[in-house]
Amino acid sequence: MVFRRLNFDIHAGEILQVTGGNGSGKTSLLRILSGLARPTAGRVEWNGADIENDRAAWQSSVSYLGHLNGATAALSPRENLSYAAALASQPSATDIDEALKRVGLARLADTPAARLSAGQRQRIALARLVRHPTPIWILDEPLTALDGSAKRLVEDLLAEHVARRGLAVVSTHQSLTTASHAVRQLELNPSQ
C-alpha cells in the first residue's frame, strides 16, 4: 500500500502540485488519476461521476505526460506531432509548425529525435500539449532535463492553461512560480 485515505478535489483554473520523496506514490497517483492504473480501493470522479462510467470521455479530457516523453527516436519532432495527431481523438488546435515554434523547436523540426537532447525531446511532449489542449493536464516531472528557459516555458503553458479554466496536476520537486495564486500543494508521505 503506497497511500490510503487520500481525498482531495481540484477545480478549473487550479494547479495541484504533488510532492513527496522517492517511493511516496506520486507517479502511482498520477497514473490512477489519468486512468492508466486503477486504484485498489476508492475512485476518481470527474463532474461528480466515477471516471470508470465513461472511460472514453475521461481519456479524451486528459493529457498525460509521464516520466518518458513519448517521442519516437527515429521520427523528427514534426513527424512525432503528426503521429500524435493521428492518434488523438480530437482535432488539433494549433498547426504543427506553430506548436514547434511555441516550444522552441522550429529550427529542429525535421531533425530525428534521436539526435536531440533530453530537454529538446521533452519539448516535443510539451508541443503535444500545445497542439491538443484538453481541460485536464496530468504532468509527471515535466521539468526534468529542462534548462531555465524551458522551465519558464512550462510555467507559461501552465499559466495559460489555467487562465483558460483548465486544471493541472503536476508532480515536481521544483517550485512552480507560475500563477502562484492557483497552485495548491499535496505532499505524499509513504505512510499516508
Side-chain angles (χ1 to χ4, degrees):
M1 182 82 57
V2 179
F3 46 80
R4 68 176 100 199
R5 289 186 224 100
L6 185 60
N7 187 9
F8 63 89
D9 60 356
I10 181 169
H11 303 279
E14 292 183 335
I15 299 169
L16 180 68
Q17 182 177 0
V18 181
T19 61
N22 293 339
S24 63
K26 297 181 302 293
T27 296
S28 296
L29 175 62
L30 270 54
R31 290 181 54 79
I32 290 168
L33 293 176
S34 68
L36 295 173
R38 292 196 165 103
T40 55
R43 64 188 174 278
V44 176
E45 291 184 356
W46 172 245
N47 290 332
D50 190 325
I51 65 169
E52 294 300 324
N53 293 344
D54 191 352
R55 284 184 71 74
W58 173 249
Q59 289 173 333
S60 69
S61 299
V62 174
S63 292
Y64 174 78
L65 219 97
H67 280 294
L68 303 175
N69 55 44
T72 301
L75 301 179
S76 69
R78 184 188 316 279
E79 292 165 331
N80 268 285
L81 293 181
S82 179
Y83 182 69
L87 296 175
S89 59
Q90 298 175 340
S92 301
T94 304
D95 175 80
I96 287 176
D97 290 329
E98 186 60 35
L100 291 172
K101 180 179 177 184
R102 177 71 171 95
V103 300
L105 288 177
R107 66 181 179 79
L108 299 169
D110 298 309
T111 303
R115 292 185 34 211
L116 301 178
S117 71
Q120 290 167 328
R121 288 191 301 271
Q122 184 74 346
R123 287 174 185 252
I124 296 171
L126 296 172
R128 286 196 308 268
L129 293 176
V130 171
R131 285 210 72 210
H132 302 282
T134 58
I136 304 161
W137 288 1
I138 299 176
L139 312 178
D140 196 358
E141 297 292 346
L143 304 176
T144 300
L146 296 181
D147 60 19
S149 68
K151 181 179 184 279
R152 283 187 299 281
L153 168 66
V154 171
E155 292 173 341
D156 290 347
L157 291 174
L158 282 166
E160 293 165 13
H161 181 64
V162 297
R164 290 189 308 266
R165 304 295 296 152
L167 64 88
V169 179
V170 183
S171 77
T172 181
H173 295 285
Q174 300 181 45
S175 65
L176 291 174
T177 57
T178 182
S180 58
H181 66 281
V183 179
R184 293 179 28 221
Q185 302 288 320
L186 172 66
E187 183 173 359
L188 296 180
N189 298 312
S191 61
Q192 227 173 350

